[in-house]
């Protein structure tokens, strides 16, 4: 068999193993080892495993993974999610569909200091869904807005997906974080617009009857309400201080991404201690969970490094690039097919796995077409995010279902609730594809 044929067999075998339940990292390493052994010899394959482990994980940059994970989990423990939601609930109390908008806004702030979509989905299911149900919102909208807006955690920096992409594409992680700012704000704004359109055009989808819809032209708040608003605003101070510390230091160039993660983890620890939410038992639990998540991600990166080397050895990426050239596809034709494949893969495979499988193959093609890899990374993350809310996998949907623990709201209803947000994400993906400057302007300015 030729190298290209071995490469094709390896990719098909890997997808089959993942489909039948093998962990993505084990499948990547096993298939890569077998393919290299077939192409050369088992001794070289063993050496390449060792080289991939050393080259992948010895870099100082990879310290950013456990640090940002630790920061995110400490923020969850400190109760920041509820505080943020309380503030946004007060700010949007006069807007029709205001609790939905509040959930998106709070999720956006929460995402900017955690970077973990699953954490956002779990926290706001407990915080926002009961409030929306109490105010007469339909179950499918209540859970749909939480599942939909939770994906902001993968785009608004710091984002674990941005870190994974930066590693795979050999791009600056700090620059990837900065590139996600405008697209993240655009996605959050589009979600809010979607909610307002539903409130006026499809009120039956959002509300049970007409009660609780709110009134845009409601009277001004009383002195008591204003005082309450000031008290709530104080809840936002620690959150904004942590954001300013981490993101301000990162974007100003004062911190590297790894240093920003360390400072953020320290700040989140102090926040949890000051709020008296962190007992020794909880701290031990957080450290253990940080280890599990970080090791899982780092092992995936190791496996992806070996997979990339195996593909380069087979010559498959270059052959695909030549095949695309022979078909005389334009850059946008290639981009359309690529995004379609990523979205379809999101229906059955988790987000990190999609990037690990696809990027080593498509990055050489993207470079051949002269695409900016920072912009390419942003639209890749958005397309991958869509997979978080699409059936049958939809990890954010199942996280909401697990956190909700309510048999009266089946998974089918949650998927129905996220449909408007799925459409909104497609619109944002289209806009970001047409206007790369939205992703690259800040990234290359700072």
């Amino acid at each position: 068999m030729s190298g290209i044929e071995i490469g094709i067999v390896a990719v098909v075998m890997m997808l089959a193993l993942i489909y039948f339940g093998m962990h993505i990292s084990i499948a990547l390493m096993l298939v890569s080892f077998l393919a290299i052994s077939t192409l050369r010899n088992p001794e070289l394959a063993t050496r390449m495993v060792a080289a991939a482990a050393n080259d992948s994980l010895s870099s100082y940059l990879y310290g950013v993974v456990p640090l940002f994970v630790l920061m995110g989990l400490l923020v969850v423990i400190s109760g920041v999610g509820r505080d943020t939601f309380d503030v946004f609930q007060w700010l949007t109390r006069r807007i029709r569909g205001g609790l939905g908008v509040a959930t998106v806004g709070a999720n956006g702030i929460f995402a900017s200091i955690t970077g973990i979509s699953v954490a956002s989905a779990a926290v706001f299911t407990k915080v926002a869904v009961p409030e929306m149900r109490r105010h007469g919102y339909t179950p499918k909208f209540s859970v749909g807005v939480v599942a939909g807006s939770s994906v902001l955690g993968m785009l608004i920096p710091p984002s674990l997906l941005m870190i994974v992409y930066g590693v795979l594409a050999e791009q600056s992680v700090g620059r990837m974080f900065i590139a996600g700012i405008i697209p993240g704000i655009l996605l959050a704004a589009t979600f809010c617009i979607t909610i307002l359109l539903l409130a006026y055009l499809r009120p039956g989808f959002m509300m049970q009857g007409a009660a609780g819809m709110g009134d845009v032209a409601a009277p001004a708040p009383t002195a008591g309400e204003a005082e309450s608003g000031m008290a709530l605003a104080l809840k936002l101070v620690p959150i904004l201080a942590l954001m300013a510390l981490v993101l301000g230091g990162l974007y100003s160039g004062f911190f590297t991404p790894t240093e920003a993660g360390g400072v953020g983890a320290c700040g989140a620890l102090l926040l949890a201690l000051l709020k008296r939410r962190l007992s020794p038992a909880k701290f031990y639990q957080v450290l253990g969970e940080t280890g599990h998540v970080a090791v899982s991600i780092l092992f995936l990166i190791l496996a992806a490094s070996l997979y990339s080397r195996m593909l380069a050895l087979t010559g498959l990426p270059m052959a695909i690039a030549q095949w695309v050239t022979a078909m005389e596809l334009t850059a946008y034709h290639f981009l359309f097919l690529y995004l379609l494949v990523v979205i379809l893969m999101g229906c059955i495979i988790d987000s990190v796995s999609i990037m690990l499988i696809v990027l080593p193959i498509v990055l050489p093609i993207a470079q051949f077409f002269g695409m900016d890899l920072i912009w390419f990374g942003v639209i890749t993350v958005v397309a991958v995010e869509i997979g978080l809310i699409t059936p049958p996998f939809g990890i954010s949907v199942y996280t909401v279902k697990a956190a909700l623990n309510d048999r009266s709201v089946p998974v089918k209803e949650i998927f129905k609730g996220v449909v408007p947000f799925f459409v909104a994400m497609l619109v944002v993906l289209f806009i970001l594809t047409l206007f790369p400057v939205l992703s690259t302007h800040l990234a290359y300015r700072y």
Side-chain angles (χ1 to χ4, degrees):
M1 294 176 69
S2 67
I4 294 173
E5 290 171 336
I6 291 174
I8 293 171
V9 170
V11 172
V12 172
M13 184 186 300
M14 179 196 56
L15 292 174
L17 289 173
I18 294 169
Y19 177 79
F20 287 112
M22 182 176 284
H23 192 276
I24 173 68
S25 55
I26 302 298
L28 283 170
M29 293 194 71
L30 177 62
V31 168
S32 299
F33 182 86
L34 292 175
I36 296 169
S37 298
T38 305
L39 277 168
R40 297 290 189 269
N41 54 69
E43 184 181 352
L44 177 62
T46 304
R47 289 178 183 174
M48 289 190 72
V49 171
N54 181 66
D55 296 345
S56 297
L57 304 182
S58 62
S59 172
Y60 166 77
L61 170 66
Y62 293 101
V64 75
V65 176
L67 290 172
F68 273 122
V69 171
L70 177 60
M71 180 179 71
L73 294 176
L74 286 170
V75 165
V76 172
I77 288 288
S78 67
V80 162
R82 173 167 288 281
D83 290 347
T84 309
F85 180 75
D86 287 344
V87 174
F88 275 90
Q89 182 181 1
W90 186 85
L91 291 173
T92 60
R93 69 196 184 285
R94 300 302 187 193
I95 301 174
R96 183 173 292 186
L99 281 180
V101 175
T103 302
V104 173
N107 241 326
I109 296 292
F110 192 73
S112 68
I113 46 177
T114 59
I116 308 172
S117 288
V118 173
S120 296
V123 168
F124 285 98
T125 299
K126 298 290 189 183
V127 171
V129 171
E131 279 295 303
M132 286 191 277
R133 294 287 298 275
R134 188 168 66 85
H135 283 79
Y137 288 76
T138 60
K140 65 181 176 184
F141 175 79
S142 301
V143 293
V145 70
V146 170
S149 59
S150 69
V151 302
L152 291 168
M154 289 299 185
L155 188 59
I156 296 177
S159 159
L160 289 179
L161 276 188
M162 291 289 196
I163 295 172
V164 172
Y165 178 85
V167 169
L168 294 176
E170 299 181 354
Q171 298 296 306
S172 163
V173 172
R175 186 164 281 176
M176 287 302 305
F177 282 171
I178 296 172
I181 295 175
I182 294 177
I185 293 172
L186 175 64
L187 184 59
T190 305
F191 282 163
C192 291
I193 292 169
T194 301
I195 292 168
L196 294 177
L197 289 175
L198 286 173
Y200 285 94
L201 302 179
R202 292 287 304 277
F205 181 89
M206 179 181 290
M207 303 299 300
Q208 294 175 335
M213 287 300 291
D215 186 355
V216 177
T222 64
E225 287 178 314
E227 185 180 349
S228 174
M230 289 298 293
L232 284 170
L234 291 176
K235 289 186 175 183
L236 208 56
V237 172
I239 308 163
L240 296 177
L242 187 59
M243 286 176 59
L245 180 67
V246 177
L247 301 183
L250 181 64
Y251 299 152
S252 66
F254 192 74
F255 299 143
T256 65
T258 306
E259 290 167 346
V263 171
C266 182
L269 177 61
L270 290 174
L271 182 61
L273 290 173
L274 289 172
K275 293 171 75 68
R276 299 182 180 180
R277 301 283 180 86
L278 191 64
S279 64
K282 283 186 177 179
F283 188 52
Y284 180 79
Q285 181 185 350
V286 165
L287 291 178
E289 198 170 340
T290 299
H292 283 298
V293 175
V295 168
S296 176
I297 293 171
L298 292 171
F299 194 65
L300 282 168
I301 291 173
L302 187 161
S305 175
L306 183 62
Y307 172 66
S308 299
R309 294 169 190 231
M310 179 274 291
L311 287 177
L313 205 60
T314 64
L316 182 61
M318 188 57 65
I320 293 175
Q322 292 172 349
W323 175 68
V324 169
T325 306
M327 290 180 65
E328 298 183 353
L329 294 177
T330 66
Y332 279 103
H333 286 147
F334 158 71
L335 204 56
F336 174 78
L337 292 174
Y338 165 67
L339 295 176
L340 180 63
V341 167
V342 169
I343 292 171
L344 290 176
M345 288 182 71
C347 295
I348 54 173
I349 304 177
D350 69 275
S351 51
V352 175
S353 300
I354 294 170
M355 295 179 73
L356 296 178
I357 293 168
V358 173
L359 287 176
I361 296 174
V362 301
L363 283 172
I365 303 173
Q367 289 176 307
F368 171 80
F369 280 115
M371 295 179 180
D372 185 281
L373 292 187
I374 296 292
W375 163 71
F376 190 76
V378 171
I379 62 173
T380 295
V381 169
V382 175
V384 166
E385 279 183 319
I386 294 175
L388 294 176
I389 58 173
T390 51
F393 193 80
I395 189 169
S396 285
V397 170
Y398 286 101
T399 301
V400 168
K401 175 61 177 174
L404 189 62
N405 195 23
D406 185 351
R407 292 185 179 180
S408 66
V409 184
V411 171
K412 182 173 69 173
E413 283 296 292
I414 306 177
F415 277 119
K416 286 181 181 178
V418 298
V419 168
F421 303 97
F422 170 78
V423 174
M425 291 184 73
L426 289 179
V427 171
V428 170
L429 181 60
F430 180 72
I431 293 171
L432 293 175
T433 303
L434 284 184
F435 303 103
V437 68
L438 294 173
S439 305
T440 59
H441 177 67
L442 292 179
Y444 291 114
R445 185 171 182 178
Y446 296 100

